[in-house]
Amino acid sequence: MTCRKVIVFGLQIHTNISKGVLTIAMSSQAVQLHIQDHHVIMDNGILQVTLSKPGGIVTGIQYNGINNLLEVQNTETNRGIKGTKFTVIVENEEQVEISFTRNWNHKNKHVPLNIDKRFIMLRNSSGFYSYAIYEHLKEWPPFNLPQTRITFKLSQEKFRYMAIADNRQRYMPLPDDRLPDRSKVLDFPEAVLLVHPIEPEFEGEVDDKYQYSCENQNLQVHGWICMDPPVGFWQITPSNEFRSGGPLKQNLTSHVGPTCLAMFLSAHYSGEDLVLKLKPDEPWKKVFGPIFIYLNSAPDAKDSLSLWEDAKAQMMTEVQSWPYEFPASHDFPPSDQRGNLSGRIRVQDRYVSDTYILANGAYVGLAPPGDAGSWQRDCKGYQFWTRADQNGYYSINDIREGNYDLYAWVPGFIGDYRYDETINVTAGCDIDIGDIVYEPPRSGPTLWEIGIPDRSAAEFYVPDPNPKYINKLYVNHPDRFRQYGLWERYADLYPEEDLVFTVGVSDYTRDWFFAHVTRKKDDGKYQSTTWQIKFRLDNVSQTKTYTLRIALATANVAELQIRVNDSKTDSPVFTTGVIGHDNTICRHGIHGLYRLYTIDVPGTLLVEGDNIVFLTQAMSTSPFQGLMYDYIRLEGPSTSIST
């Protein structure tokens, strides 16, 4: 079985739009398609996009007086999948849609997929759209697909300012700053220390593309700004329906290159679980996109940063226009061929309240049928997510036809919800699920708890980075966990003895390190670490069973062993076994895949007075082996409850 990375490369565009100080550049020109021997050009009077024929590689984007926004030194041989057949799908004054296909057969060595790359240009539009249709037939051989995306390599001379969010934007180093004579590779190839950058302002900084990752739910617009002339290049993803892994899945965005990515499928922050694996005799077809490449401009360089605000406004316009009506493929259904679903979700936890709890902010979604929580590992189907309002009401609109399970999880409560019945969505349907009740895992009253059940380790203590490894963007920033090398800071804080947390005395925001990692020894090897939770019980029912709930925010080739009041026993009360390939620690994340464990603790292991739970992360051959906790809770026996 082969494993391939697929890159659908090259979409670019230029546009001007009226927003505040931005100039308006509307054109009455009809959309034109110029077909040449080896290239095709889409032109609407605002921008021109040149693509190779029949390869479908975007080789040029002309806009606002710039002959080509792309990096001209990036050869066509380094630009991903090439089509073998060019077809005009739509050509009129209002719209051009063109197709570049590559079909598989047993004689070629490509991945066994039929691939159809589509590009659309509309009249008076300040950009262009792209989407791809992948198909694997039942009789074709199996294979693995870990990643597929659209990549744009912009002009390194012009695009120097990158923007991902309101508080995540900065001037970026040059790609040559990453060359061996100007940088030092750190613990993995993607991370380099800029030692002799071309511009001295970047000296001593770390550059790593993973520092700019983002969750799907927040990854709708990002891109680059050229200051002279003031031009913005933006990748807008108006829907997450075709992305894998659900709303919390993290993906790459933009990074030094200047590179701008539209990620459709990746195993980042999840590992093997999110590699698309097509089995023998398994047919599969999926539409990725459309995404929108948007360009804007400002009349004066002093207004360059306003281009970001305009890009966000355009993103909202695209979101409100989804699903688009103009794509010509029958595989992309418009709104009238989709369905809707609504309802209300409440929580019942008798140890918290004797009445139903409104599931304020609950994540509610439709995804392919599976077990509770299986949506975070799904990469073959479509997913549709929303957030419930303060009263637990939710609605999901414009759902593709098909069979789905209804999933949910509620911030503040552990575990996953799945509706009992599979839901069939048909064109034009309006399904009212009514009230659903989520009963989170619970055996008895809370004796103590650590953290917040929100699938993230962000509430725990994140240390300052080593001053030698700084990214200036994240100094005094809410996402301080994105700094390089924080795993090494554990040994600085705990050089000999491991972390000890005392319930009722310690504060998890200061005393609980955000990642349970290994410790590097003087000989360069790594050792496992054992954390302690100390707590006092005034009464213990020796004949009863207590319950320890441990929710993990991520794990990477880790094994968590639990012992109670005896750290030396060979047989732990519980072990996870070796779990996870999330790689969250080295990729500066704060969560990966969510895992929940329930551990029965016999009352005979506890004593009246002082007790200790020992948490051992037993794997210790790498600095990146470890895990992050989301939430830990000890529950008393069920017979000792009081509502």
Side-chain angles (χ1 to χ4, degrees), residues 353-411:
S353 172
D354 57 2
T355 60
Y356 289 121
I357 302 166
L358 300 177
N360 181 13
Y363 288 77
V364 185
L366 292 172
D371 297 328
S374 61
W375 53 268
Q376 67 172 342
R377 291 175 170 83
D378 170 67
C379 53
K380 293 180 180 177
Y382 299 94
Q383 298 195 26
F384 302 85
W385 286 87
T386 191
R387 300 288 301 272
D389 66 17
Q390 61 184 3
N391 294 313
Y393 288 100
Y394 62 88
S395 61
I396 305 174
N397 299 321
D398 294 311
I399 308 158
R400 283 172 165 264
E401 289 188 289
N403 292 325
Y404 300 89
D405 276 353
L406 179 68
Y407 302 96
W409 68 275
V410 185

Side-chain angles (χ1 to χ4, degrees), residues 308-374:
W308 164 249
E309 295 299 324
D310 174 68
K312 290 193 299 179
Q314 184 65 38
M315 177 269 290
M316 291 304 302
T317 298
E318 301 300 323
V319 169
Q320 292 162 8
S321 301
W322 187 272
Y324 298 131
E325 299 292 330
F326 50 80
S329 172
H330 296 298
D331 292 310
F332 184 80
S335 183
D336 62 2
Q337 295 177 26
R338 298 176 177 231
N340 306 300
L341 179 144
S342 61
R344 181 173 67 160
I345 180 171
R346 297 184 290 176
V347 177
Q348 184 178 43
D349 186 337
R350 59 192 177 127
Y351 293 96
V352 175
S353 172
D354 57 2
T355 60
Y356 289 121
I357 302 166
L358 300 177
N360 181 13
Y363 288 77
V364 185
L366 292 172
D371 297 328
S374 61

